[in-house]
């Protein structure tokens, strides 16, 4: 017996803002983000029969949206050979050092009104720091850590070896932490 059920008639009211914020933080273009959310809802409707109820409805929709974002970057990568990507990283100096903002982002259902403003300001600071990274470093970092693409797939797509990939990710993390510590924390 499924633990969770889908209620597509409530998706727009319940999840559109959350999904849009998630998408725009990854593609940095509100029109593309809107399209990705719409595609997510359509894909959810088309695959609703495959929903087993193991994950919460929002979690299931986010998983679909993640695939849509990955597909978006694969599409523009194959056309242009490069993409500007945005990721979200936060360091609070506690035991959660180095958590990804995706895991720490404010729950839209919580009562904390300052979370949205703080996340928006943090997102702008992160975008500023990302704009200072070399494009390929930003792309590799985002593909691996945000999109969860396998090392082998990234290396094949970009024509690099695993050692280069991990060096770029390390350099990106170091640069982002330095920039965020200087500009945000």
């Amino acid at each position: 017996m499924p633990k969770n059920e889908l209620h597509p008639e409530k998706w727009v009211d319940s999840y559109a803002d959350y999904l849009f914020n998630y998408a725009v933080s990854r593609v940095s273009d509100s029109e593309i983000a809107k399209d990705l959310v719409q595609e997510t809802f359509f894909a959810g409707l088309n695959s609703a029969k495959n929903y087993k109820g193991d994950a919460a409805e929002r979690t299931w929709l986010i998983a679909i949206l993640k695939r849509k974002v990955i597909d978006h970057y694969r599409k523009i990568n194959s056309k242009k050979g490069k993409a500007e990507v945005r990721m979200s990283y936060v360091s609070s100096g506690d035991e959660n050092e180095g958590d990804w903002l995706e895991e720490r982002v404010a729950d839209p259902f919580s009562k904390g009104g300052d979370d949205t403003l703080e996340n928006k300001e943090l997102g702008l600071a992160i975008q500023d720091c990302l704009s200072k990274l070399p494009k390929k470093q930003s792309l590799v970092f985002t593909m691996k850590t945000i999109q969860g693409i396998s090392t082998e797939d990234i290396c094949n797509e970009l024509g690099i070896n695993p050692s280069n990939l991990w060096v770029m990710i390390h350099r990106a993390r170091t640069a982002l932490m330095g920039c965020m510590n200087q500009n945000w924390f």
Side-chain angles (χ1 to χ4, degrees):
M1 185 164 109
K3 300 172 192 141
N4 297 294
E5 294 180 8
L6 294 180
H7 299 283
E9 70 280 1
K10 297 178 182 177
W11 287 354
V12 173
D13 291 336
S14 299
Y15 308 118
D17 289 341
Y18 183 82
L19 294 173
F20 173 77
N21 289 333
Y22 180 93
V24 81
S25 73
R26 276 131 185 96
V27 299
S28 298
D29 182 310
S30 62
E31 292 305 311
I32 292 172
K34 288 176 188 175
D35 291 344
L36 292 172
V37 171
Q38 186 174 12
E39 290 175 26
T40 298
F41 287 148
F42 285 131
L45 287 171
N46 288 334
S47 61
K49 62 187 173 294
N50 299 329
Y51 179 72
K52 293 180 173 62
D54 295 333
E57 188 175 50
R58 185 176 83 171
T59 303
W60 184 71
L61 289 169
I62 283 288
I64 294 171
L65 179 58
K66 284 180 182 180
R67 299 306 311 162
K68 296 295 177 189
V69 170
I70 290 168
D71 291 345
H72 165 75
Y73 279 114
R74 284 187 178 149
K75 184 177 175 183
I76 65 173
N77 265 345
S78 64
K79 288 182 181 175
K80 297 180 182 177
K82 63 180 183 177
E84 289 187 35
V85 292
R86 304 290 184 224
M87 54 70 60
S88 302
Y89 182 78
V90 66
S91 172
S92 59
D94 61 14
E95 72 276 355
N96 295 323
E97 181 80 25
D99 284 351
W100 294 106
L101 182 60
E102 171 188 340
E103 297 166 4
R104 304 264 316 259
V105 73
D107 185 340
F109 303 108
S110 74
K111 304 287 187 219
D114 294 336
D115 290 340
T116 302
L117 179 60
E118 186 174 324
N119 282 345
K120 186 177 249 182
E121 290 171 353
L122 178 59
L124 292 173
I126 290 167
Q127 287 180 11
D128 182 55
C129 289
L130 277 171
S131 70
K132 296 173 185 171
L133 285 179
K135 299 255 187 251
K136 193 167 189 178
Q137 197 177 79
S138 176
L139 176 62
V140 167
F141 183 76
T142 301
M143 290 173 78
K144 184 66 180 163
T145 58
I146 303 295
Q147 299 171 342
I149 299 173
S150 74
T151 299
E152 183 180 352
D153 289 347
I154 295 170
C155 290
N156 289 339
E157 187 170 331
L158 300 178
I160 60 175
N161 65 45
S163 295
N164 291 27
L165 178 132
W166 292 110
V167 167
M168 284 189 249
I169 289 173
H170 174 73
R171 288 180 179 166
R173 283 182 177 153
T174 303
L176 288 171
M177 282 302 301
C179 181
M180 291 301 293
N181 282 331
Q182 183 178 11
N183 297 314
W184 176 254
F185 299 108

